[in-house]
Amino acid sequence: MGRFFAPFVLFLITLNTLFAQKGNISTLKIKDIMQGDDFVGHRPGSPYWSTDGKTLYFDWNPNNAMSDSLYAYSVASKNIEKVGFLEANALPSPRLTYNQAKTEAVYSKNGDIFLLETDTYQSRPITKTQERESNPHFTDDGKSIAFVKDGALYTWKIDSGLIEQKTHFVKSKNGEPQRDSKDEWLYQDQLDIFDVLQERKAKKDAGEQISKKLEALEPLEIETGGKQVIGLEMDPSGSYVTYILMDRPDTKGTIVPHFVTESGYTEDQNTRSKVGDEPTQYEMFVYDVDNRKNYPVVLDNLEGLDYVPEYTKDYPDKIYENDDRIGYINGPTWNTDGSKAILDIQANDYKDRWIVLLDPKTGTVEQLDRQHDEAWIGGPGIGRYRGGDLGWMPDDKKIWFMSEKTGYSHLYTMDINNKKVKALTSGAFEIFDVALSKDKSRWYFTSNKTHPGDRQFYSMPLKGGKWEKLTDMIGRNDVVLSPSEDKMAILYSYSNKPTELFIKDNPIETSGTPQVEQITNSNTDDFNAYDWKDPEIITFNASDGAEVHARLYQPEASVKNKAAVIFVHGAGYLQNAHKWWSSYFREYMFHNLLVDNGYTVLDIDYRGSAGYGRDWRTGIYRHMGGKDLSDQVDGAKMLMDEYDIDADKIGIYGGSYGGFITLMGMFNAPETFSAGGAIRSVGDWAAYNHGYTARILNTPATDSLAYKRSSPIYFADGLEGDLLILHGMVDDNVHFQDMVRLSQRLIELGKENWEMAVYPVERHGFVEPSSWTDEYTRIFKLFQKSLLGKE
């Protein structure tokens, strides 16, 4: 029996492999490319410099270990060495907060606080406790370091090492109970009658006076009313502490059961609630440390607090209520001496962003800028879930910030005295990752000025003017400057060239023409053995006249089968028709395999995608599955008109948002799409989370029309082609429940031309190569059978 069993298992494995590749004429195999980084090669990431600029650290895994490790590149020797675990643990964190002179920095690591001397790159611990300390920053004019522990703010004096607690939050103060009129009369009458009671009371009062004097030396007791304290921070002078009281309403979460567990029992995971939650309440306060006063930051003078959204006109009989529009409060961002601060405030309906000037002495604010969007505020550097990019100019008289005022995200400055605004950049392109130079004489930033799908690194004078392009490799250039800004570490990739790490002298700081040097080589031999295709970046006109960017993969004429597959990227607000290595690299390799098999592949940056400005970003407002779907349909028509694709041989697939569009395409455009593979798809937007969905569709209770026209479950009756649904059963982002509900709807409608594959141990982002292989084998079989009639 044993001699028979081993060959039999080998036969089954071989048979399964052959079955997976049935009909595949490419040299690429689905099982191989779905190994992910193990097939491509593990990429370098998260580079950061030592403060002396002699060493560049980065995460890497060239030997295909269980996980990434820290590596160090020596600028002097040009050698790369793996950093041992203990050595890596002892290194400073890459996230440093500097003092004004940049001579010292503080950071938190493993729950403790450290002080770093920047010239020697040597650090010493400030705390070493079982508790977690966080948010270290300089205060007391650089003489002390403030940090947060156990919900309170502490300071550590650099010269003496004294640690002092600065805040004391309590749920409620325990005062003496108040007596009613009857009991108060009895109390006073007793004191009048009995001398001993008078003497005891006098002693007690004297003791309380001493206690009050001692209490005056301690932090003020501040009531929270049971609300959560967040955002604790002390100003640079050490005079004020700001904090936010957050009141998050109780919400009902969704239970995700895990069926394949170590215990053998079904185990429940409690996950997020659904869109339409009551908004979280945020209140900011200032604690005047020296004067022991605590007072609220007053925001009732902000413009538009009574704003009623335009979409409510569609519901004339429904009363709209949003009494407190204040959402998350980001900041403060202090000026040099702590006399003023900037707050970045988001409305809880996401349609306003206020940048305000805080006077900490009074808790009052002055509005500097209101950014309003009928749809929702967003864009590079403007913020989605928290605040955007902003800061003080070197003179402390102006601020800088990002705005979509012109329809694209650009850099602005404002004089805080006269409110005069100056645009430092402008044009039909976007600005990313803005930072001031070390000497504060110029800007550094990334932009897609040359092409929406090409990102280069630039410098510009402080007051604006001529740009200097510091990188020149077409694709994506993510730059980390050395502390002296004389060198650039560049994470670079191109469409068919995965990310590698490069070094280049900064042209601003170097004479001559500096050359770029590649310092990592991460590709595997198996990956290098294939001639990976460089997809063409094309544009086509949508039915409404908009210019749509897309990636096009074309097969050789000898194998062209006149069938096409349209891939729909996920996230909605994401870019994939670009000139750099895609985050969808498994799909990119799958597209190479499809092209080898004769398919034409189109990958569209549909309405809602990133990189194309405000109008493109908000093109899906109140109707997901509207223009984002019609862009796919128009793309299919373009393929038929210009690339000789048969009308009955077009398939569509994608994951997450791409899976949602796939469902909408199969239900609402059955004349266009003959087959669709819907991966981890949203079937009903009313079941998704609040932070994402409420921006685009408002809430189900206030804008039910938007949800009804945007959710696939309402259009399932339109299914005509062959649909394959694929979903992880422990997906805690797009819940498996979504597809269970959709499958029940398809059953009730009597639809038979659909199948569902489930993955018991996978969340939203699949991990196991076996799951990836099974998933894409089924998708390949779907297109082979439904578009080409091949079993």
Side-chain angles (χ1 to χ4, degrees):
M1 181 66 179
R3 289 193 301 270
F4 170 75
F5 183 73
F8 179 68
V9 170
L10 180 62
F11 169 75
L12 287 178
I13 294 173
T14 305
L15 182 65
N16 183 61
T17 302
L18 291 173
F19 175 75
Q21 300 304 320
K22 185 177 181 181
N24 175 23
I25 62 175
S26 174
T27 58
L28 296 172
K29 307 304 178 188
I30 293 175
K31 184 176 181 180
D32 293 337
I33 63 178
M34 292 303 152
Q35 302 303 306
D37 287 335
D38 288 349
F39 176 77
V40 176
H42 294 261
R43 317 322 301 179
S46 306
Y48 70 96
W49 295 88
S50 60
T51 56
D52 59 13
K54 295 179 180 180
T55 307
L56 176 66
Y57 295 98
F58 57 96
D59 294 332
W60 201 26
N61 186 4
N63 299 319
N64 198 22
M66 292 293 291
S67 62
D68 284 3
S69 297
L70 186 68
Y71 282 75
Y73 170 81
S74 169
V75 174
S77 68
K78 298 188 177 182
N79 291 332
I80 294 178
E81 294 183 354
K82 184 178 179 180
V83 182
F85 174 78
L86 293 178
E87 183 184 353
N89 189 59
L91 284 172
S93 166
R95 292 177 289 275
L96 303 175
T97 299
Y98 292 89
N99 63 3
Q100 193 66 28
K102 298 291 181 73
T103 56
E104 295 176 318
V106 291
Y107 63 91
S108 62
K109 189 171 185 178
N110 300 326
D112 290 310
I113 307 296
F114 297 81
L115 177 65
L116 174 71
E117 302 293 334
T118 57
D119 57 344
T120 63
Y121 201 52
Q122 297 297 311
S123 61
R124 56 176 168 142
I126 295 172
T127 65
K128 197 70 176 175
T129 68
Q130 291 296 314
E131 296 82 13
R132 293 191 66 85
E133 292 88 22
S134 62
N135 190 28
H137 51 283
F138 287 94
T139 187
D140 189 22
D141 298 322
K143 300 171 189 172
S144 300
I145 293 168
F147 60 90
V148 176
K149 182 178 77 170
D150 292 334
L153 188 135
Y154 293 77
T155 59
W156 178 79
K157 286 193 176 295
I158 296 175
D159 59 354
S160 67
L162 174 67
I163 292 180
E164 182 178 359
Q165 183 174 341
K166 291 292 188 178
T167 63
H168 180 206
F169 294 100
V170 296
K171 185 175 181 179
S172 61
K173 295 180 181 179
N174 296 318
E176 290 188 6
Q178 296 294 316
R179 293 181 287 270
D180 60 22
S181 58
K182 180 188 71 174
D183 290 341
E184 180 64 25
W185 185 92
L186 287 173
Y187 172 77
Q188 294 296 338
D189 189 54
Q190 292 291 97
L191 291 177
D192 290 341
I193 295 173
F194 301 105
D195 293 341
V196 67
L197 293 181
Q198 292 181 29
E199 292 172 1
R200 290 178 179 179
K201 182 178 183 303
K203 291 179 182 180
K204 179 183 177 184
D205 290 346
E208 289 179 349
Q209 289 300 316
I210 295 173
S211 296
K212 287 180 179 180
K213 290 179 180 180
L214 292 174
E215 287 175 5
L217 302 176
E218 300 295 327
L220 179 68
E221 199 174 66
I222 299 173
E223 278 189 287
T224 67
K227 298 175 183 178
Q228 184 179 351
V229 179
I230 62 172
L232 260 173
E233 188 164 334
M234 180 169 269
D235 82 292
S237 71
S239 301
Y240 304 101
V241 174
T242 57
Y243 64 94
I244 295 170
L245 291 185
M246 180 177 73
D247 188 13
R248 178 174 289 163
D250 291 334
T251 56
K252 184 177 181 179
T254 300
I255 292 174
V256 173
H258 292 236
F259 293 95
V260 180
T261 63
E262 293 180 5
S263 69
Y265 291 89
T266 300
E267 298 174 4
D268 290 339
Q269 177 188 356
N270 197 15
T271 68
R272 61 164 176 81
S273 61
K274 303 179 189 297
V275 61
D277 296 339
E278 287 296 317
T280 299
Q281 301 292 316
Y282 299 94
E283 303 169 273
M284 178 173 269
F285 292 83
V286 177
Y287 169 40
D288 183 334
V289 178
D290 295 332
N291 297 308
R292 292 173 51 82
K293 294 191 301 182
N294 187 64
Y295 40 90
V297 174
V298 181
L299 300 174
D300 57 9
N301 61 337
L302 300 186
E303 180 184 348
L305 286 177
D306 59 351
Y307 168 73
V308 177
E310 284 80 354
Y311 75 83
T312 59
K313 295 176 183 176
D314 289 346
Y315 307 93
D317 298 328
K318 187 183 295 185
I319 298 175
Y320 178 79
E321 296 181 356
N322 190 1
D323 296 331
D324 181 6
R325 291 188 66 225
I326 299 299
Y328 190 79
I329 305 171
N330 190 66
T333 301
W334 295 98
N335 65 354
T336 304
D337 63 7
S339 60
K340 293 182 176 64
I342 315 167
L343 304 179
D344 187 353
I345 303 169
Q346 188 179 73
N348 60 22
D349 58 13
Y350 312 111
K351 300 181 189 302
D352 275 292
R353 176 197 185 198
W354 296 277
I355 299 174
V356 304
L357 189 67
L358 169 66
D359 180 356
K361 292 182 180 179
T362 62
T364 58
V365 301
E366 180 182 358
Q367 181 176 303
L368 298 177
D369 185 64
R370 178 195 180 194
Q371 297 175 17
H372 175 75
D373 198 310
E374 179 183 335
W376 75 95
I377 291 291
I382 297 170
R384 292 187 66 187
Y385 299 99
R386 289 295 183 259
D389 298 339
L390 48 71
W392 288 90
M393 296 292 282
D395 61 4
D396 267 356
K397 297 177 181 178
K398 300 183 184 69
I399 64 167
W400 65 268
F401 60 95
M402 304 293 292
S403 173
E404 278 188 327
K405 182 179 180 180
T406 63
Y408 292 84
S409 184
H410 280 290
L411 175 61
Y412 295 82
T413 61
M414 175 189 284
D415 188 307
I416 62 172
N417 293 314
N418 60 24
K419 308 293 194 305
K420 185 177 180 180
V421 176
K422 180 181 179 181
L424 300 187
T425 63
S426 62
F429 52 84
E430 302 206 294
I431 304 295
F432 308 86
D433 304 324
V434 175
L436 280 166
S437 63
K438 182 179 181 180
D439 64 5
K440 298 185 179 180
S441 68
R442 58 195 312 107
W443 300 98
Y444 288 108
F445 53 83
T446 303
S447 178
N448 60 359
K449 182 179 181 180
T450 55
H451 183 277
D454 179 43
R455 292 195 187 177
Q456 301 292 335
F457 189 61
Y458 296 88
S459 183
M460 179 182 69
L462 184 66
K463 295 182 179 180
K466 185 179 179 180
W467 296 18
E468 184 167 354
K469 188 154 73 78
L470 307 181
T471 54
D472 51 22
M473 297 182 291
I474 296 174
R476 179 160 182 161
N477 297 266
D478 292 326
V479 175
V480 179
L481 288 167
S482 63
S484 62
E485 299 178 353
D486 62 331
K487 293 188 179 298
M488 304 187 298
I490 309 170
L491 284 174
Y492 168 76
S493 68
Y494 184 67
S495 302
N496 59 356
K497 298 176 182 178
T499 304
E500 297 286 8
L501 186 56
F502 293 75
I503 293 283
K504 180 182 179 181
D505 288 341
N506 183 354
I508 295 291
E509 304 291 337
T510 308
S511 60
T513 304
Q515 300 299 308
V516 66
E517 177 186 358
Q518 182 174 338
I519 66 171
T520 62
N521 289 281
S522 310
N523 294 353
T524 65
D525 291 341
D526 288 340
F527 180 83
N528 286 335
Y530 181 81
D531 185 15
W532 297 98
K533 296 164 181 60
D534 182 1
E536 181 184 0
I537 304 297
I538 66 167
T539 61
F540 63 89
N541 289 327
S543 53
D544 64 353
E547 184 181 66
V548 184
H549 287 75
R551 275 186 170 189
L552 178 67
Y553 304 73
Q554 293 193 72
E556 296 291 336
S558 59
V559 297
K560 184 171 182 175
N561 56 25
K562 293 192 174 185
V565 171
I566 293 179
F567 171 66
V568 189
H569 69 69
Y573 190 64
L574 181 145
Q575 188 176 7
N576 206 46
H578 49 59
K579 300 181 181 181
W580 61 83
W581 185 245
S582 176
S583 58
Y584 290 95
F585 65 95
R586 288 182 181 84
E587 289 79 356
Y588 164 79
M589 294 188 290
F590 182 60
H591 298 161
N592 277 259
L593 181 148
L594 287 176
V595 171
D596 288 347
N597 281 278
Y599 292 90
T600 299
V601 178
L602 189 67
D603 177 355
I604 300 171
D605 272 346
Y606 51 87
R607 239 64 70 95
S609 297
Y612 305 94
R614 181 267 171 195
D615 290 348
W616 204 262
R617 175 178 65 80
T618 62
I620 57 175
Y621 178 56
R622 298 192 69 205
H623 193 183
M624 298 186 195
K627 291 181 179 179
D628 45 359
L629 174 59
S630 65
D631 287 342
Q632 317 296 331
V633 173
D634 292 337
K637 184 177 185 301
M638 180 271 298
L639 291 175
M640 291 184 284
D641 292 345
E642 300 181 22
Y643 294 94
D644 195 27
I645 298 300
D646 289 346
D648 60 348
K649 292 184 179 179
I650 300 178
I652 186 171
Y653 89 101
S656 195
Y657 198 98
F660 151 71
I661 288 293
T662 297
L663 292 175
M664 292 295 270
M666 295 300 294
F667 297 164
N668 287 341
E671 70 287 349
T672 300
F673 302 111
S674 299
I679 310 169
R680 48 188 175 274
S681 316
V682 174
D684 184 355
W685 285 109
Y688 198 51
N689 71 36
H690 185 87
Y692 182 95
T693 319
R695 282 173 163 79
I696 305 171
L697 300 181
N698 305 306
T699 67
T702 63
D703 198 2
S704 57
L705 292 175
Y707 283 81
K708 287 289 180 69
R709 60 180 167 231
S710 299
S711 297
I713 197 166
Y714 296 108
F715 302 99
D717 193 35
L719 177 63
E720 295 179 11
D722 296 327
L723 173 63
L724 173 62
I725 299 171
L726 310 106
H727 213 105
M729 294 181 70
V730 292
D731 191 333
D732 47 12
N733 181 357
V734 180
H735 296 146
F736 179 55
Q737 179 192 21
D738 230 17
M739 288 302 98
V740 174
R741 294 177 63 236
L742 180 61
S743 66
Q744 177 61 27
R745 182 65 181 144
L746 291 169
I747 291 168
E748 292 179 0
L749 290 168
K751 299 294 181 179
E752 299 178 355
N753 49 331
W754 65 281
E755 294 180 348
M756 180 155 59
V758 299
Y759 299 88
V761 298
E762 297 292 0
R763 299 182 188 273
H764 196 61
F766 279 22
V767 174
E768 301 300 328
S770 57
S771 301
W772 282 102
T773 300
D774 183 90
E775 187 176 44
Y776 276 82
T777 298
R778 293 178 186 276
I779 293 171
F780 181 70
K781 286 174 58 182
L782 169 73
F783 293 143
Q784 289 284 90
K785 179 179 180 181
S786 299
L787 304 184
L788 302 181
K790 296 181 179 181
E791 293 292 337

